[in-house]
Amino acid sequence: MKAIAQDVYGSADVLRLCEVDQPSVGEDQVLVQVRAAGVDPGVWVCMTGRPYGARVAFGLRRPRVAVRGRALAGVVSAIGSGVRRFQPGDEVYGTGAGGTFAEYATASCEKLAPKPPSLSFEQAAAVPISGVTALECVRDGGRVRAGQRVMVVGAGGGIGSFAVQIAKAFGARVTGVCSTGKAELVRSLGADEVIDYTREEIDRDGPRHDVVIDIAGCRPLSLLRRALTPRGTLVLAGGGHDAGGLLGGYTRQLRAPLVSMFTSQRLRGLASRERAQELEELGRLIESGAVTPVVDRTYRLADAPDAIRHLAEGHPTGKIVIAMGSGAGRTPGD
Ligand SMILES: NC(=O)c1ccc[n+]([C@@H]2O[C@H](COP(=O)([O-])OP(=O)(O)OC[C@H]3O[C@@H](n4cnc5c(N)ncnc54)[C@H](OP(=O)(O)O)[C@@H]3O)[C@@H](O)[C@H]2O)c1
């Protein structure tokens, strides 16, 4: 099968389109014919091996798994002997067990759910990593309740475009923080207010947010806390992974619980778990019309390196997707 793979860590130049063996299906896994695959900053981390601490998980000297990609949407083509939830022909979305920038990928049933019928495969592939992280930020990290004021920093990107919609669905009043060009989009996603961070800082209106969800990952804790009420909750999702060193920008996540011990504010890092139950909850939000994935651009499989370069520039509008079919290589609306 065709796949995008790499032998060594490096920039997108190390990726190549090649022929690899189709993966074999484990007992509790399914084989999916991939129709579309989502691109997220985690793909960049696996590709570059940065921050260096990530190599403990992905391979010390070279990537343990050669094929890139994590999120997928597609059609089940084979099932393992222990699988009862799915059968060949089912349309699914979720996170792959290995790489998903490929014609076929395996996935554990725990990380897969039926594709929401109203979504195209491209839209569905945008959901599994970013939508799930956004749901966990709002539901678990922020414990958002109706009527609360919630700020989403990085509101126009992959996670942020979901977080704004999900916080609205939970009944919050949402302030979206984004650059000038995304203000209209963020308002259309339901934000009640928008702060254009190129003109004003997030503490513009003082400490009035019950929950601040930081996805952009580049502000100090002290600045983020200035936008929070005295008993508010700060959720750190983003980490500025390109900041270098062993942990990149993720040292804030380590410091947050320590700072939390000395303040009435609750500060916490969030590490997402991509599970079937979150995908199912998102599926319900999507089918109710409360959440719609925002797809920035789709690329053909062969152009996956360009997709990652676009992501690495740091300003995608919503999600970037690799599409296997004839619809690839376009911006929605073209
Ligand atoms: N904790 C977890 O489990 C988890 C899971 C997945 C991802 N992540 C991390 O979360 C982060 C974001 O992921 P993503 O998929 O949303 O990335 P993304 O799609 O690249 O979006 C990031 C957004 O941040 C915005 N941004 C850049 N600089 C900003 C600034 N100074 N202030 C405010 N916004 C700014 C950009 O929009 P503008 O054009 O408006 O600047 C961009 O849309 C990454 O660090 C990723 O590694 C964490």
Side-chain angles (χ1 to χ4, degrees), residues 11-314:
S11 70
D13 296 342
V14 302
L15 300 177
R16 58 198 161 73
L17 180 67
C18 55
E19 287 286 334
V20 299
D21 292 339
Q22 221 178 65
S24 48
V25 198
E27 194 182 326
D28 294 322
Q29 292 183 331
V30 304
L31 182 70
V32 179
Q33 184 192 14
V34 180
R35 301 287 297 275
V39 182
D40 70 279
V43 170
W44 184 92
V45 171
C46 298
M47 181 185 79
T48 58
R50 285 172 36 210
Y52 292 107
R55 296 190 187 202
V56 174
F58 300 131
L60 286 183
R61 304 181 64 173
R62 61 180 64 85
R64 217 171 280 134
V65 177
V67 177
R68 285 286 62 78
R70 302 195 301 155
L72 62 76
V75 180
V76 173
S77 71
I79 59 172
S81 57
V83 173
R84 300 284 173 269
R85 280 180 62 219
F86 300 106
Q87 51 189 358
D90 285 353
E91 297 186 345
V92 292
Y93 75 151
T95 307
T100 61
F101 295 172
E103 290 175 307
Y104 290 87
T106 52
S108 151
C109 291
E110 326 267 87
K111 294 184 179 282
L112 219 52
K115 177 179 85 65
S118 66
L119 296 188
S120 66
F121 286 106
E122 286 91 339
Q123 287 174 307
V127 180
I129 307 274
S130 307
V132 166
T133 306
L135 174 64
E136 291 175 335
C137 284
V138 173
R139 185 193 64 186
D140 307 333
R143 296 180 197 161
V144 170
R145 298 187 307 277
Q148 288 190 314
R149 280 185 188 275
V150 175
M151 172 181 275
V152 178
V153 184
I159 299 173
S161 55
F162 283 106
V164 170
Q165 298 181 73
I166 294 168
K168 282 304 290 181
F170 276 54
R173 257 191 88 75
V174 177
T175 305
V177 179
C178 60
S179 56
T180 315
K182 291 181 184 164
E184 208 166 303
L185 167 78
V186 170
R187 267 194 203 94
S188 76
L189 296 176
D192 302 280
E193 291 172 48
V194 170
I195 295 181
D196 174 353
Y197 73 83
T198 66
R199 297 188 178 144
E200 292 170 299
E201 247 319 337
I202 62 160
D203 58 349
R204 179 189 75 180
D205 302 318
R208 65 175 194 142
H209 291 91
D210 302 293
V211 178
V212 172
I213 299 172
D214 180 45
I215 298 157
C218 52
R219 286 176 178 76
L221 293 180
S222 53
L223 174 53
L224 294 162
R225 289 178 57 201
R226 286 206 290 275
L228 260 191
T229 57
R231 305 194 73 78
T233 298
L234 171 63
V235 184
L236 301 163
H241 45 271
D242 53 349
L246 198 61
L247 296 174
Y250 283 94
T251 50
R252 292 180 326 155
Q253 266 87 336
L254 297 180
R255 273 188 292 121
L258 296 176
V259 178
S260 218
M261 289 164 67
F262 301 100
T263 165
S264 55
Q265 293 171 331
R266 196 168 146 262
L267 279 56
R268 52 169 306 176
L270 183 124
S272 71
R273 296 161 297 169
E274 293 112 19
R275 299 179 303 186
Q277 63 192 79
E278 276 76 30
L279 290 166
E280 284 162 4
E281 186 167 347
L282 279 164
R284 287 189 289 275
L285 286 166
I286 288 165
E287 289 308 307
S288 75
V291 172
T292 304
V294 177
V295 177
D296 173 321
R297 217 179 278 177
T298 62
Y299 290 81
R300 295 177 309 153
L301 182 62
D303 297 328
D306 287 336
I308 296 177
R309 286 184 193 104
H310 178 45
L311 178 87
E313 284 163 12

